Amino acid sequence: MPLRVALVAGLAAMVGTSLAQTSTEEGIAQYREALQGGNPAELWEARGEDLWKQPAGPSKTSLERCDLGLGPGMVKGAYAQLPRYFADADRVMDLETRLVWCRVKLQGMSEADAKKNPFGAGNDHKSDLEALVAYVTSESRGVKMNVPLAHPKEREMYALGQRMFFYRGGTHDFACATCHGDTGKRIRLQDLPNLTTIEGAQKAYTTWPAYRVSQGELRSFEWRLNDCFRQQRFPELAYTSDAAIALTTFLARNANGAAYDGPAIKR
Amino acid sequence: MQSVSSMARAAVAMLTLSTAVLLVAGCAAPAAPEQQNVDAKAAEVLKSSFVERGQAKLDRLDQDETQRLCTQAGTKMPAKDVAEKIEKLNLAAIPWPADGKYLGDWKNGEKIAQEGRGKQYSDDPQGPVGGNCYACHQLTKEEVSFGTIGPSLYNFGKLRGYTADMQKYAYGKVFNAEAYAACTNMPRFGQHGILSEQQIKDVVALLMDPNSPVNK
């Protein structure tokens, strides 16, 4: 093929490609807009509020005295300042780790019982933890993210999370950064936030937890991390593990300054 | 766009506040001792934070030389000498097909490109293992559900020419992409035993066969 003809053919192919991409992106935007009408996350929020206020566990105590960082019983705005260091546990904790802590310390549950069923699976296997997460996070809606890095252990967790974000491993060489290190990328039709930028971290972090239409479930942030690692071909991320807390600290801190806007609704 | 790397550096620097001498060294040298400590601690915490499940055992957290060097590079591309080292060791590791043939069946290649299952702990170890090419690449006009992490491969062979050299390059790239682009996002499908030699030939046919929809 003469060079000129080859160039024209190549250009035509490129124009075709960009047209196809534009219509695909418009379709995705329309779908996302159509979702915003109503958010079933409210059902999880309401159940979570009941669970928070009802006496439960061997101690027959409610969680109303649970200290989420702003003092016992202070729920409003607490999620926007998590993860953080808790002196009573001498550990940096994300919301889910702290909820488990309160169920053990206040309600007298064993740690195994307090952690049981972290991610729900339909009406027969509802997760109390995801409901509690929905309630607590909803009480920070509109509050600016303000995750502290005052304590040395908070700074250590942030630094560890940052390193883990770039840690490559497994059969596919994937790191978090493989999918979340560039701006404007998609996997199949799903937009991927660039979590190495402030804007990307803010937009992503402030919209988790979320009701996932494709699953009919409200999903917590630890679920999000857990399922990312599954697709990364890693082993399973343990619930309330230090790696989960470190990565959450890294992402939550990077979202500082943005108004929390969850629980959201997503595909 | 504001980068978080400055924040990350600040956090790492703050870790060393107790040792003022190290703090100065930390600002000056990219591979300061405290950074290595953070790397070691991160690997240790990872090991204690995962549990094996299904086919995904804990050894998946063990890094080979390429993964280790690319992790160190972080967001930035590795230094030129490191990149050359990675590409050289990966190129040397490619066992080229004994029959000298690179083209299989593009129809089967399309199935492999569509298949997203394989190697996850949620996957049946006896079940299908695909390349999931569409997750990151545009390939054919017909499939509109494609990702953009990698470049569009539409008209791959048509634009580059259906030469033997290009067939061999495509085979090597799918087998071990690190041989051509250090710290690429693309998995090493042959190197890590994700796809078999025949499956890779089928994917190469999808890219390089003039009758493949990729080249229509």
Side-chain angles (χ1 to χ4, degrees):
Chain A
M1 190 178 339
L3 181 64
R4 203 167 60 86
V5 177
L7 275 175
V8 169
L11 268 176
M14 284 193 311
V15 169
T17 301
S18 83
L19 278 178
Q21 281 183 2
T22 306
S23 63
T24 300
E25 275 149 21
E26 276 171 6
I28 297 168
Q30 282 166 6
Y31 174 77
R32 198 171 292 126
E33 203 180 306
L35 276 185
Q36 300 306 319
N39 187 349
E42 288 169 15
L43 301 171
W44 273 257
E45 293 167 25
R47 195 166 74 85
E49 185 171 3
D50 287 345
L51 286 167
W52 182 264
K53 292 176 176 168
Q54 279 163 11
S59 307
K60 299 198 170 31
T61 309
S62 81
L63 290 170
E64 287 168 300
R65 299 296 296 162
C66 178
D67 183 356
L68 297 171
L70 303 183
M74 298 291 292
V75 182
K76 202 101 201 152
Y79 184 66
Q81 296 189 34
L82 288 171
R84 66 187 302 142
Y85 175 77
F86 288 89
D88 54 6
D90 189 29
R91 191 183 175 197
V92 176
M93 293 172 152
D94 63 351
L95 172 59
E96 290 167 85
T97 307
R98 191 61 184 174
L99 286 171
V100 168
W101 168 271
C102 286
R103 295 177 102 191
V104 170
K105 297 292 172 186
L106 296 178
Q107 299 187 318
M109 292 185 189
S110 70
E111 188 163 325
D113 280 347
K115 279 185 188 176
K116 213 157 73 185
N117 197 21
F119 312 132
N123 279 336
D124 296 337
H125 296 279
K126 285 182 181 173
S127 166
D128 288 352
L129 283 161
E130 278 181 329
L132 286 164
V133 161
Y135 165 60
V136 172
T137 55
S138 73
E139 290 290 303
S140 281
R141 202 173 273 132
V143 178
K144 270 193 182 173
M145 292 298 303
N146 186 22
V147 176
L149 281 189
H151 194 277
K153 290 203 176 183
E154 291 167 349
R155 293 195 289 273
E156 182 184 37
M157 273 301 194
Y158 181 93
L160 290 173
Q162 196 253 343
R163 291 314 291 162
M164 288 173 195
F165 189 84
F166 296 102
Y167 190 92
R168 287 184 176 230
T171 53
H172 287 54
D173 298 334
F174 290 154
C176 305
T178 307
C179 285
H180 297 293
D182 290 299
T183 302
K185 303 289 187 186
R186 287 198 324 250
I187 187 158
R188 285 278 183 162
L189 290 183
Q190 186 66 26
D191 283 332
L192 295 163
N194 181 354
L195 302 177
T196 68
T197 66
I198 298 298
E199 294 88 337
Q202 287 180 331
K203 198 175 165 205
Y205 193 81
T206 58
T207 53
W208 283 96
Y211 176 80
R212 289 294 299 270
V213 176
S214 54
Q215 302 181 24
E217 294 281 355
L218 180 129
R219 291 308 188 194
S220 67
F221 197 70
E222 285 218 15
W223 177 89
R224 175 63 282 172
L225 293 175
N226 180 289
D227 207 53
C228 271
F229 278 117
R230 178 183 67 81
Q231 294 170 87
Q232 255 175 265
R233 274 76 178 173
F234 276 43
E236 184 169 26
L237 179 67
Y239 193 61
T240 69
S241 62
D242 277 344
I245 296 167
L247 282 163
T248 304
T249 303
F250 173 61
L251 297 169
R253 170 72 185 194
N254 292 344
N256 267 9
Y260 179 68
D261 196 24
I265 181 166
K266 293 171 189 274
R267 174 195 68 85
Chain B
M1 205 174 300
Q2 190 186 349
S3 160
V4 299
S5 63
S6 56
M7 290 171 62
R9 272 198 301 277
V12 171
M14 278 188 277
L15 266 179
T16 64
L17 270 177
S18 53
T19 45
V21 176
L22 273 181
L23 180 66
V24 176
C27 290
E34 68 273 20
Q35 181 62 62
Q36 286 171 12
N37 290 343
V38 174
D39 287 347
K41 184 81 195 287
E44 182 193 316
V45 170
L46 275 174
K47 276 278 166 68
S48 66
S49 296
F50 283 81
V51 287
E52 67 172 48
R53 183 166 168 186
Q55 59 180 301
K57 310 296 182 198
L58 286 178
D59 63 7
R60 295 214 181 161
L61 296 168
D62 296 335
Q63 293 181 314
D64 71 3
E65 181 76 346
T66 302
Q67 291 170 337
R68 192 180 62 78
L69 291 169
C70 291
T71 296
Q72 277 177 2
T75 39
K76 298 181 292 288
M77 288 313 287
K80 193 162 172 279
D81 58 327
V82 178
E84 280 170 4
K85 182 181 170 185
I86 290 168
E87 288 167 13
K88 201 176 153 194
L89 78 92
N90 281 285
L91 189 61
I94 299 176
W96 298 100
D99 61 6
K101 294 194 169 70
Y102 303 106
L103 244 53
D105 174 1
W106 69 259
K107 285 178 184 153
N108 202 34
E110 166 69 11
K111 286 183 196 142
I112 294 162
Q114 291 281 3
E115 179 59 71
R117 284 172 295 181
K119 303 291 183 188
Q120 299 167 124
Y121 58 67
S122 50
D123 294 326
D124 175 2
Q126 310 305 322
V129 178
N132 208 11
C133 312
Y134 282 104
C136 298
H137 297 284
Q138 182 182 37
L139 286 151
T140 63
K141 259 192 310 203
E142 290 72 24
E143 180 53 87
V144 295
S145 174
F146 58 87
T148 57
I149 296 171
S152 171
L153 302 176
Y154 181 60
N155 280 357
F156 182 90
K158 193 175 180 180
L159 291 171
R160 289 165 181 78
Y162 303 109
T163 63
D165 280 354
M166 194 52 70
Q167 288 180 8
K168 185 177 180 183
Y169 165 75
Y171 183 91
K173 182 90 181 180
V174 177
F175 194 96
N176 188 338
E178 294 283 347
Y180 305 90
C183 304
T184 171
N185 289 326
M186 184 163 156
R188 292 171 282 176
F189 289 101
Q191 197 65 37
H192 282 170
I194 302 164
L195 299 178
S196 68
E197 179 180 306
Q198 187 55 51
Q199 283 182 303
I200 293 175
K201 286 180 176 181
D202 292 343
V203 172
V204 172
L206 180 66
L207 295 169
M208 290 296 296
D209 191 321
N211 295 315
S212 159
V214 165
N215 297 315
K216 294 294 177 190

